[in-house]
Amino acid sequence: MSARPKVIVTRRLPPVVEATLRERFDVDLPTEDRQFTAEQLQRALAQCDGLLPTVTDKLTAEVLAAYPIRTRMIANFGVGYDNIDVAAAKAHDIVVSNTPDVLTECTADLAMTLILMTLRRAGEGEREVRGERWTGWRPLHLIGERVTGKTLGLVGMGRIARAVARKAHLGFGMRILCYDPTAPSPADLAAAGAEPRSTLEELLADSDIVSLHCPSTPATRNLMNPERFARMRPGAFLINTARGDIVDDDALIAALRSGHLAGAGLDVFRGEPNIDPRYRELENVVLLPHLGSATRETREAMGMRAIDNLTAFFAGRPVPDRWRRPGTGGRSPACAATLRQLSKYL
Ligand code: DGY
C-alpha cells in the first residue's frame, strides 16, 4: 500500500502537471474532463488527503458538510477563491491555497484583447467574414473607436489591474485611472502610470473604458448595478475579466441596448457556461469563454504552483499560497479593507 498522500484532481491538466502529480502523490486523475457534481466532490472529500479542484468545482458549505471528510488540503487551481467556502473549509480544519502571480500577465493580456476587440468591433467583423456577408472595403464599414489615448478606469488595483495599466499606458498611450480603497502605494501607481480616484463613482464618470479587477465576494456582487452604469460616460465600454457576478446582467444589457454603453467585452459570466442568452443577441458585446489564464505557459505554471502547495503541506512546511482570514496576513489585510470600502457603495 502506498504511503504517499492520496490526491484527487477534478479536471484534466497539462501533461507535465499530471506527470508531476503522478510522481509525487497517489493521484486519481479524471478520465473525463467534466465538472464534478456535488456528490462527486463529497465522495472525493471522503476519499483523499488532498483535493485539486478548479473554478468549476463549487465547494460550498453544504458540500463541505459531508461527513466524514478525509481531505486536509484543498489546492485550488486558480487565483480566485470564490468557488470555495473558505470559512467552511477552515471550520473543517482544511487548508486552502490558490495560484497567484503566475496568471497575472496572461489575464492582463486577455483584458487588452477584449479592449481591442470591443473598441475595434473585431467580433462583429469576424462574424461577418465567416458568415460570408463581407461585401468589401468601404469608408464607413464597421467603424470603431480608437484605442490609443483613451482613458482607462481600473476597478481594483491588484496584480492583474497593475499589469493591465502598464500594458495600456506604455503600449497604447492610455491615461490610467484607478479606484482601490486600499490606496495603492505611490511606487505601484507610478509603475502603472495610474492616477487614483477616491470613489468608484468618480472613476466611472471619468473613464472611456472601465475594466473590472476585484474579487467576487458578497460585498462585490452586483457592484456594477443600474446606478453605476448610469454614472459611466455615454458611449463608454465595460470590460470584465474578473468574475461574472460583479455585474448585474439586467443593468448591463439595458445599458448596451439603450446605447448608453457603446460596448462590453466579457470573459466571465454569472452561472457560466450557461450565460444570459440575451448577450448573444447583442452585436456590441464580445463574449469569450473564460480564457483569462488559458495559455500553455500559465496553465502549466498554475498546475505546478498547486503541486508546490500540496507538496509543502504534506511535507509539513508552510504552504506558500495558503488562504488566511482577512486581517490575519498574506494578501488578506488589503483585500479585507478593499471589500469593507466597496461594500459601503452597495
Ligand atoms: C482564476 O484563476 O481565478 C481564473 O479565473 C480561473 O479560475
Side-chain angles (χ1 to χ4, degrees):
M1 206 174 85
S2 166
R4 296 187 303 172
K6 172 88 183 168
V7 170
I8 293 183
V9 179
T10 62
R11 304 302 296 245
R12 295 306 309 268
L13 297 174
V16 64
V17 177
E18 293 191 346
T20 310
L21 282 163
R22 280 197 201 93
E23 275 165 28
R24 296 202 194 166
F25 304 105
D26 171 15
V27 66
D28 267 10
L29 297 166
T31 46
E32 291 182 346
D33 199 3
R34 293 231 184 99
Q35 179 170 348
F36 266 34
T37 62
E39 293 70 33
Q40 283 175 303
L41 288 171
Q42 288 185 320
R43 221 173 302 132
L45 290 166
Q47 291 172 355
C48 67
D49 304 301
L51 184 67
L52 200 161
T54 72
V55 65
T56 56
D57 299 305
K58 308 298 175 204
L59 288 153
T60 60
E62 294 72 39
V63 167
L64 287 160
Y67 185 80
I69 291 185
R70 171 171 158 187
T71 300
R72 301 271 54 93
M73 161 101 193
I74 296 175
N76 201 38
F77 182 95
V79 71
Y81 280 110
D82 51 301
N83 57 312
I84 303 172
D85 188 322
V86 283
K90 192 170 164 46
H92 288 283
D93 233 4
I94 300 173
V95 168
V96 179
S97 65
N98 68 343
T99 60
D101 301 322
V102 290
L103 44 66
T104 300
E105 294 301 327
C106 287
T107 306
D109 289 351
L110 198 90
M112 294 307 303
T113 305
L114 283 174
I115 290 172
L116 289 161
M117 286 184 73
T118 307
L119 272 71
R120 298 304 307 272
R121 303 179 64 179
E124 287 171 82
E126 221 248 357
R127 287 193 289 282
E128 191 176 282
V129 175
R130 283 186 184 277
E132 297 180 30
R133 283 178 277 107
W134 182 33
T135 56
W137 191 93
R138 54 201 188 276
L140 296 183
H141 183 216
L142 285 181
I143 298 300
E145 289 269 340
R146 188 170 74 164
V147 173
T148 298
K150 284 280 184 296
T151 298
L152 172 64
L154 302 167
V155 179
M157 202 51 176
R159 301 177 193 87
I160 296 171
R162 296 200 299 273
V164 172
R166 283 195 308 277
K167 291 167 202 283
H169 185 59
L170 300 175
F172 291 90
M174 289 196 207
R175 179 176 182 208
I176 309 295
L177 309 179
C178 65
Y179 169 68
D180 188 327
T182 60
S185 73
D188 276 347
L189 290 171
E195 303 164 37
R197 286 288 179 271
S198 51
T199 67
L200 179 55
E201 279 65 24
E202 272 178 67
L203 179 97
L204 298 175
D206 291 348
S207 305
D208 300 315
I209 306 163
V210 171
S211 189
L212 303 178
H213 299 284
C214 53
S216 162
T217 70
T220 60
R221 239 147 261 162
N222 292 321
L223 185 75
M224 291 306 298
N225 59 22
E227 294 72 39
R228 296 217 171 83
F229 282 118
R231 293 278 186 148
M232 287 177 68
R233 287 181 170 175
F237 296 84
L238 180 83
I239 304 297
N240 190 4
T241 52
R243 283 293 184 261
D245 59 8
I246 298 169
V247 172
D248 172 340
D249 290 320
D250 286 341
L252 174 56
I253 288 164
L256 289 164
R257 279 182 175 163
S258 73
H260 175 60
L261 289 194
L266 308 176
D267 185 45
V268 286
F269 302 87
R270 190 184 300 264
E272 58 188 45
N274 303 313
I275 74 169
D276 189 318
R278 292 174 296 173
Y279 282 124
R280 293 199 186 90
E281 292 158 14
L282 291 166
E283 285 293 342
N284 54 348
V285 191
V286 174
L287 306 170
L288 295 183
H290 202 147
L291 294 180
S293 61
T295 63
R296 178 179 51 76
E297 295 90 336
T298 287
R299 290 285 161 85
E300 288 180 1
M302 289 166 75
M304 299 316 277
R305 189 109 176 187
I307 291 175
D308 287 347
N309 285 314
L310 284 166
T311 304
F313 177 77
F314 289 113
R317 296 196 307 268
V319 174
D321 305 312
R322 179 179 183 155
W323 178 85
R324 290 176 199 286
R325 184 176 296 286
T328 60
R331 68 165 202 168
S332 306
C335 180
T338 303
L339 298 181
R340 269 198 306 278
Q341 293 283 335
L342 286 174
S343 63
K344 283 201 307 202
Y345 297 96
L346 291 174

